[in-house]
Amino acid sequence: MSRPNVTRDKVLDVACRLFYSQGFNGTSVRDIAKAANVNVSLIHYYFKSKQGLFESLAVSYFEPYLEMLENEQPSEGEYRLNDLVKKILHYKQSNYQLSCLLNRELTLNTMFAREMLVTYLAKENHLLTQILFHKNSHIDVTFKEKLCLLQLKGLLNAPFMMPHEFKDPFITDASLNHFVEMYSGLMNDHRSVQELAKA
């Protein structure tokens, strides 16, 4: 790997950590440059602006995620769906800070959120519709299918939309896999919340 790519990746890693902990508006390019031990002009050279840096983070997150969905075949039964859920959860948990950061920013009415909604999130909806309902167009999707997709996405994103409710992000391979197994198992068992409430 060439030196510039190492530096660029380091800046992205630092920016993700600072945006996650301090928020996008609470983080300056100078903060990122200082923490990454690089010159501010180098950040402007690679990313043009703080917004450009944030968009690079979003691209680095959504492109592999959507490629993963594109490689999925339409689901045949609950086991295929459970495998898909596990893959998505594993990806989101492996990129925990970025998952939380992007989910938080997408709840805001910003230009970034609107651009993401019409590009990456629209493509995600299209691919999930193909996988789950064997349909190539949103035109054929029923209201019930739309609600099912909304519910599925809500469950998949919940741990990353409310990190304050879930304070211990799993960082080792073993604990990451444990989280994926436990959470996907609870998603798969619609009775689990009622059973836990009775216990």
Side-chain angles (χ1 to χ4, degrees):
M1 186 179 280
S2 67
R3 179 73 184 162
N5 287 340
V6 171
T7 304
R8 187 178 186 278
D9 291 345
K10 181 182 178 183
V11 169
L12 285 170
D13 288 342
V14 168
C16 178
R17 180 170 47 82
L18 293 179
F19 287 154
Y20 170 75
S21 61
Q22 300 174 188
F24 177 76
N25 290 329
T27 305
S28 69
V29 173
R30 287 193 181 281
D31 294 335
I32 296 165
K34 183 178 178 182
N37 198 26
V38 298
N39 196 295
V40 170
S41 61
L42 187 112
I43 293 177
H44 287 293
Y45 173 76
Y46 283 127
F47 306 103
K48 308 297 184 215
S49 65
K50 185 170 77 165
Q51 181 71 28
L53 181 50
F54 192 82
E55 288 171 5
S56 292
L57 283 170
V59 168
S60 73
Y61 180 86
F62 281 113
E63 292 289 342
Y65 171 65
L66 293 174
E67 185 177 338
M68 179 182 76
L69 292 183
E70 284 176 335
N71 291 328
E72 280 296 309
Q73 298 301 314
S75 288
E76 301 280 343
E78 90 178 56
Y79 293 109
R80 292 278 299 149
L81 178 59
N82 197 36
D83 286 346
L84 175 64
V85 164
K86 286 179 182 179
K87 284 181 186 176
I88 293 172
L89 285 172
H90 195 278
Y91 182 82
K92 289 177 180 289
Q93 190 66 31
S94 296
N95 298 281
Y96 182 80
Q97 287 188 345
L98 199 44
S99 295
C100 293
L101 171 63
L102 291 171
N103 273 292
R104 182 175 69 209
E105 292 300 320
L106 286 169
T107 63
L108 306 174
N109 186 23
T110 62
M111 181 64 76
F112 167 77
R114 291 190 290 274
E115 286 174 356
M116 291 296 105
L117 285 169
V118 299
T119 52
Y120 291 117
L121 298 186
K123 187 168 183 182
E124 177 192 36
N125 285 342
H126 175 72
L127 291 170
L128 287 173
T129 298
Q130 281 184 315
I131 295 165
L132 298 173
F133 309 124
H134 312 273
K135 295 185 175 181
N136 291 323
S137 171
H138 290 297
I139 298 169
D140 299 324
V141 178
T142 66
F143 183 66
K144 184 178 178 182
E145 289 169 339
K146 284 181 183 177
L147 290 179
C148 287
L149 183 59
L150 178 68
Q151 187 177 34
L152 175 65
K153 288 180 68 176
L155 287 169
L156 289 168
N157 289 326
F160 315 103
M161 293 177 76
M162 301 180 290
H164 55 281
E165 298 281 343
F166 190 62
K167 295 187 190 316
D168 300 316
F170 293 86
I171 52 173
T172 68
D173 286 341
S175 56
L176 189 154
N177 290 333
H178 179 69
F179 166 77
V180 169
E181 288 296 326
M182 289 288 292
Y183 193 77
S184 63
L186 287 170
M187 283 180 65
N188 198 39
D189 183 2
H190 65 281
R191 299 162 302 167
S192 59
V193 174
Q194 294 164 339
E195 288 173 358
L196 285 171
K198 290 176 186 176

